[in-house]
Amino acid sequence: MLILINLFLLLGTVAIHAMTNNLKENIATKGKAVQSSTYYLKADAAIDDIDFYCTHTKTETNPWWRLDMMDLQIIEKVIITNRMDCCFEQINGAEIRIGMSLENNGNNNSKCAEISGISARQSVSYSCGGMQGRYVNVVIPGDSKNLSLCEVEVFINGTS
Ligand SMILES: *[C@@H]1O[C@H](CO)[C@@H](O)[C@H](O)[C@H]1NC(C)=O
Ligand SMILES: *[C@@H]1O[C@H](CO)[C@@H](O)[C@H](O)[C@H]1NC(C)=O
């Protein structure tokens, strides 16, 4: 009897965990990431689930990072985690773009948000209100910009 109760408790916990995951699932880790250029860490450092490793493009005009989610997704929010050391203000002015098009490397898709600033090591959540797309881009418009992202998380509503 005791064993049965324990088994029930265990299964119950697993089921609740799975349910919560489905409601708010970060699908970015299942996608593929690329970026306009690489100064040191590659584009997938932003989807490795480890804040410590951050992507970094070379200094260039309109540096961008793009996530390919392989399929159309309805996106509720995107969470960006900024770098913790120097230069956290480099992210200022970056845009989050979502859509199906690869025109201009995906940077011409609809804008979900413009990042006014994120403190060092902080994460900010941007609500995209159900925007649809296969690609999520982060691009900084302008000359002599560096794009560095420690984590990009993409949340959809429910499973898909
Ligand atoms: C992307 O959008 C910009 C600004 O609206 C426009 O000037 C440019 O021609 C577009 N790029 C492409 C490849 O269509
Ligand atoms: C980009 O990085 C270079 C090299 O580290 C630095 O000299 C420059 O000031 C940075 N640019 C911006 C806009 O932060």
Side-chain angles (χ1 to χ4, degrees):
M1 186 60 188
L2 197 60
I3 288 170
L4 273 181
I5 288 171
N6 277 338
L7 188 65
F8 174 77
L9 287 176
L10 188 69
L11 289 176
T13 317
V14 172
I16 287 166
H17 186 68
M19 229 172 70
T20 341
N21 270 352
N22 283 349
L23 285 175
K24 290 285 171 215
E25 184 190 13
N26 172 23
I27 59 165
T29 51
K30 296 179 191 159
K32 285 209 169 97
V34 291
Q35 61 190 5
S36 48
S37 67
T38 297
Y39 177 59
Y40 50 89
L41 286 186
K42 284 192 292 188
D44 50 13
I47 51 170
D48 60 359
D49 243 342
I50 309 170
D51 292 354
F52 183 75
Y53 298 110
C54 312
T55 69
H56 205 305
T57 64
K58 293 176 181 164
T59 305
E60 61 181 315
T61 301
N62 309 331
W64 54 267
W65 177 96
R66 182 177 72 229
L67 174 71
D68 181 356
M69 300 174 290
M70 310 299 172
D71 211 345
L72 179 82
Q73 300 287 355
I74 301 171
I75 294 160
E76 291 307 315
K77 62 177 178 180
V78 174
I79 298 178
I80 309 267
T81 302
N82 204 5
R83 52 192 295 163
M84 62 186 83
D85 50 357
C86 85
C87 333
F88 63 90
E89 71 288 346
Q90 284 180 0
I91 197 82
N92 299 2
E95 299 174 353
I96 300 170
R97 299 215 166 227
I98 293 171
M100 290 299 285
S101 169
L102 282 176
E103 180 188 294
N104 190 20
N105 296 304
N107 298 313
N108 279 19
N109 282 319
S110 303
K111 198 194 291 184
C112 158
E114 192 170 318
I115 299 171
S116 53
I118 305 176
S119 307
R121 192 185 236 154
Q122 296 305 301
S123 303
V124 172
S125 175
Y126 300 91
S127 170
C128 302
M131 286 177 75
Q132 299 187 17
R134 169 173 169 174
Y135 305 106
V136 173
N137 278 50
V138 180
V139 55
I140 311 181
D143 293 331
S144 302
K145 302 289 187 182
N146 312 308
L147 177 58
S148 180
L149 298 163
C150 295
E151 209 61 26
V152 177
E153 295 164 84
V154 177
F155 290 86
I156 55 175
N157 216 345
T159 51
S160 74

